[in-house]
Amino acid sequence: MFRRILALMAKEFLALLKDKRSRFVLIVPPLVQLLVFGYAATFDLKHVPYALFNEDAGYAARDLAAALRGSPSFTEVAQLSHSGEIAPLIDRKDALMVVRIGPRFSADLLSGRTAPLQVIVDGRNSNTALLVVNYVRVIVDQFNRDWADAHGTPLPPAYIETRAWFNPNLESRWFFLPGIVGLLTLLVTLLVTSLSVAREREQGTFDQLLVTPMRPIEILIGKALPGFIIGVVEASLIIAATVFWFGVPLLGSLLTLYTGVLLFLLSAVGVGLMISSLAVTQQQGMLGAFFFMVPAIILSGFATPIANMPWLIQQLTLLNPMRYFLVVLRGVFLEGTPFPLLIPQFWPMAAIGLAALATAAWLFRHRMY
């Protein structure tokens, strides 16, 4: 039995590696997506275009303007001379933000009064607007501390001190890239397994496979293991690139991480074989893979927190193995979460994988006869 399964596995690998399209799917898309997400998928804002409307000639206003210009996150694109220039600048998207310093800004600070500062932001993209306002708030807070130190004025009796745990520099890349490990592993594994049986049917070799001495369960195992092995290799390469190329820390143990990888691959291979058992052509298999993959990514918490979803949608995510795998990835990478605390994530992936493989086996036997 073991020799027969090995022979079928060798046949599967040869079929994958000899086909130019299969080699392309295995190598190029994961590499391109890793680079795109690694460098482009970020919540950080760089070089925000802003305009300054400074109505105050005092040195306090000049110091604040200099702090804005010295920030690596902002790029000054215009200096305004009257308020009528603000709206057209925002409407044309020439500037994402306008900072208006009132005429009594320096005088109010010197007299010990609060000095208003007006920040006008393009709110068409609300997430970006909130980030810009937070960036400005950081600069203004630092200006307030420097002013208090220089003039001996007391700071407010109570203030907020913010500390970021697990990601002290608030690098959004550290949040995204562990999720990319799950996304690309799912992509490659699902495509490889969802095309395996469909390829046999389309090329007319499925009947030849049935007349071999192999039993249906042996054929299914021989079809599953190549996708499983390819998934482990792909996941390992992406994890290595995440750690050594992009510098994302891996604080947890490799044993815990690869336990999650193997259980996730179990579920991904099971789903892929279910799709492949139902598909007649490779095109149907590929469409079925993407039909599953897009909702799986959206409902995984990759970009949108599951807690913010409606209650019914939250219940649907319980059937999504990627939901649990992302918790494992981010926990092991950023928090160093130990194995016992991730058991509530491990067993649902194992259950989904076993159920998917059992269903795939039933479908495979059903479609054979």
Side-chain angles (χ1 to χ4, degrees):
M1 174 181 172
F2 188 64
R3 288 198 301 269
R4 291 195 295 266
I5 291 175
L6 283 178
L8 183 57
M9 287 175 58
K11 172 187 172 299
E12 284 293 305
F13 278 117
L14 288 174
L16 283 171
L17 297 177
K18 283 185 176 180
D19 183 24
K20 291 183 179 179
R21 290 178 298 179
S22 297
R23 291 200 303 268
F24 181 86
V25 167
L26 287 175
I27 299 171
V28 178
L31 181 62
V32 171
Q33 291 186 57
L34 177 64
L35 293 175
V36 168
F37 278 104
Y39 285 109
T42 173
F43 286 135
D44 299 330
L45 293 177
K46 306 293 184 183
H47 309 298
V48 175
Y50 79 98
L52 180 65
F53 180 25
N54 188 1
E55 299 178 280
D56 184 8
Y59 71 92
R62 291 196 300 270
D63 288 347
L64 180 57
L68 288 168
R69 294 189 186 103
S71 170
S73 302
F74 294 107
T75 301
E76 187 176 303
V77 296
Q79 293 189 19
L80 309 184
S81 57
H82 58 85
S83 59
E85 297 176 288
I86 297 176
L89 198 68
I90 296 291
D91 290 340
R92 295 193 306 266
K93 296 187 177 181
D94 292 336
L96 188 59
M97 172 186 71
V98 175
V99 178
R100 182 174 184 174
I101 302 175
R104 294 192 52 80
F105 183 80
S106 298
D108 287 341
L109 284 180
L110 289 170
S111 61
R113 295 192 298 269
T114 57
L117 179 70
Q118 187 177 21
V119 179
I120 303 160
V121 182
D122 185 350
R124 281 171 282 201
N125 187 329
S126 59
N127 290 333
T128 302
L130 287 173
L131 288 172
V132 169
V133 171
N134 287 333
Y135 284 11
V136 175
R137 184 176 290 116
V138 170
I139 294 174
V140 172
D141 287 345
Q142 184 61 48
F143 173 82
N144 288 338
R145 287 192 291 269
D146 294 341
W147 180 272
D149 291 341
H151 295 81
T153 57
L155 288 172
Y159 62 96
I160 298 174
E161 180 179 312
T162 304
R163 292 185 297 168
W165 286 9
F166 310 126
N167 187 357
N169 295 325
L170 295 178
E171 292 279 349
S172 59
R173 186 173 294 164
W174 288 17
F175 174 79
F176 262 111
L177 283 175
I180 296 299
V181 175
L183 189 152
L184 296 183
T185 302
L186 176 66
L187 170 68
V188 173
T189 306
L190 207 59
L191 286 178
V192 169
T193 52
S194 64
L195 298 179
S196 60
V197 178
R199 182 174 58 249
E200 301 278 1
R201 288 198 178 101
E202 191 174 87
Q203 295 177 352
T205 57
F206 188 67
D207 292 336
Q208 298 176 15
L209 194 63
L210 297 181
V211 298
T212 62
M214 301 186 70
R215 292 175 292 174
I217 187 64
E218 295 174 358
I219 297 175
L220 192 69
I221 294 173
K223 291 287 186 182
L225 286 178
F228 202 89
I229 294 170
I230 289 171
V232 172
V233 173
E234 288 281 352
S236 300
L237 291 175
I238 299 166
I239 289 169
T242 300
V243 174
F244 297 110
W245 182 265
F246 292 104
V248 179
L250 178 56
L251 302 180
S253 71
L254 288 176
L255 173 63
T256 305
L257 179 61
Y258 273 90
T259 300
V261 169
L262 295 177
L263 292 175
F264 177 67
L265 286 173
L266 180 71
S267 58
V269 167
V271 172
L273 288 175
M274 283 174 53
I275 295 170
S276 191
S277 299
L278 290 170
V280 177
T281 65
Q282 292 187 74
Q283 184 179 20
Q284 290 179 357
M286 187 170 292
L287 289 174
F290 278 99
F291 180 78
F292 172 82
M293 188 164 51
V294 173
I297 294 171
I298 294 174
L299 299 179
S300 66
F302 175 75
T304 304
I306 294 176
N308 292 346
M309 299 177 185
W311 179 86
L312 181 60
I313 302 298
Q314 291 186 38
Q315 303 310 304
L316 288 176
T317 64
L318 298 176
L319 302 175
N320 182 11
M322 194 169 172
R323 166 202 171 123
Y324 307 102
F325 190 41
L326 286 189
V327 176
V328 173
L329 286 169
R330 287 168 178 163
V332 173
F333 265 93
L334 301 180
E335 303 173 34
T337 307
F339 191 99
L341 294 182
L342 289 174
I343 291 176
Q345 313 301 325
F346 290 150
W347 74 259
M349 287 193 291
I352 292 171
L354 293 175
L357 284 173
T359 305
W362 182 87
L363 288 171
F364 188 71
R365 292 175 61 89
H366 182 71
R367 297 295 293 269
M368 283 177 60
Y369 303 113

